[in-house]
């Protein structure tokens, strides 16, 4: 029963450098004998020619460097290792959910009336139940709780707020009351500066490809 509740809550939240020098394209917008912008293909890196030298202009992503962790016990180290494993499993789902929520909201804004919006929500609910139920069944209870936190991280909205926005306050209240029976709260927010500090560290490292 607990696994069914977890799956249903999660589905509800869900609902609601290779370049070849010979491949160059010259930009003729600037006069001759001045700095010329070109593009290196096939990855289309912008570059400039300075005194006959081709200098690629590549924007690098932000990189966060953490100090090494010091664990008070083997138990703490084991828990952190487990957290890394769970983040690697649930973070991709959280990012998928964030995209679905954004696209659903933007599409619903184009629909003419509430009837059309409700019809679209019903179709999305059926699709998500079919697509995500097998995936959610593979999550443990702790992974399900983590997923709800990571959805907040990706959308800046609690699970309660998402359900409230898409399905109404009555259903949001009902689902939150149901979740509280099993020690969960849909109103609980993600706090990367306090209780979720290690989770944020794990997320950043996973996103940077460190794990």
């Amino acid at each position: 029963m607990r696994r069914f509740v977890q799956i249903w809550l999660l589905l509800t939240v869900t609902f609601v450098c290779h370049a070849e020098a010979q491949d160059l394209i010259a930009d003729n917008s600037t006069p001759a004998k001045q700095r010329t912008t070109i593009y290196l293909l096939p990855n289309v890196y912008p570059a400039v020619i300075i005194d006959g030298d081709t200098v690629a202009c590549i924007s690098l992503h932000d990189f966060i460097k953490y100090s090494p962790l010091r664990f008070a016990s083997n138990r703490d180290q084991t828990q952190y290792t487990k957290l890394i494993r769970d983040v690697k499993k649930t973070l991709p789902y959280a990012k998928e959910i964030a995209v679905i929520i954004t696209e659903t909201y933007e599409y619903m804004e184009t629909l003419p009336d509430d009837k059309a919006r409700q019809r679209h929500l019903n179709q999305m609910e059926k699709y998500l139940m079919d697509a995500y139920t097998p995936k959610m069944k593979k999550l443990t209870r702790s992974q399900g709780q983590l997923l709800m936190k990571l959805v907040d991280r990706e959308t800046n909205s609690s699970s309660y707020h998402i359900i409230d926005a898409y399905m109404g306050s009555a259903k949001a209240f009902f689902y939150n009351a149901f979740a509280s029976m099993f020690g969960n709260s849909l109103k609980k927010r993600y706090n990367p500066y306090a209780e979720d500090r290690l989770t944020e560290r794990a997320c950043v490292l996973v996103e940077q490809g460190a794990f």
Side-chain angles (χ1 to χ4, degrees), residues 154-178:
E154 298 300 317
T155 63
N156 197 30
S157 297
S158 68
S159 301
Y160 184 92
H161 177 74
I162 294 171
I163 297 173
D164 186 17
Y166 282 88
M167 306 181 72
S169 57
K171 284 192 175 182
F173 176 81
F174 170 77
Y175 286 126
N176 189 55
F178 212 50

Side-chain angles (χ1 to χ4, degrees), residues 101-114 116-117 120-121 165-166:
I101 290 173
T102 300
E103 291 180 348
T104 299
Y105 174 79
E106 291 177 349
Y107 180 73
M108 287 178 60
E109 288 292 295
T110 67
L111 297 177
D113 51 42
D114 290 342
R117 284 189 282 271
H120 177 67
L121 287 176
Y166 282 88

Side-chain angles (χ1 to χ4, degrees), residues 174-189:
F174 170 77
Y175 286 126
N176 189 55
F178 212 50
S180 65
M181 296 171 59
F182 302 95
N184 296 329
S185 174
L186 303 184
K187 293 183 178 181
K188 199 168 185 180
R189 300 304 307 274

Side-chain angles (χ1 to χ4, degrees), residues 52-124:
D53 293 328
T54 301
V55 180
C57 303
I58 303 174
S59 297
L60 301 178
H61 298 292
D62 292 339
F63 179 82
I64 299 177
K65 176 66 175 178
Y66 290 103
S67 301
L69 284 176
R70 295 182 179 180
F71 299 99
S73 64
N74 291 335
R75 180 175 179 273
D76 290 342
Q77 185 171 4
T78 300
Q79 288 180 334
Y80 181 68
T81 301
K82 179 178 178 294
L83 176 62
I84 293 290
R85 182 201 66 189
D86 291 347
V87 166
K88 290 176 67 175
K89 187 169 186 177
T90 56
L91 185 58
Y93 291 149
K95 292 184 179 295
E96 289 178 18
I97 291 170
V99 171
I100 291 171
I101 290 173
T102 300
E103 291 180 348
T104 299
Y105 174 79
E106 291 177 349
Y107 180 73
M108 287 178 60
E109 288 292 295
T110 67
L111 297 177
D113 51 42
D114 290 342
K115 185 176 181 180
R117 284 189 282 271
Q118 186 60 50
R119 183 165 58 250
H120 177 67
L121 287 176
N122 292 339
Q123 293 172 348
M124 284 296 298

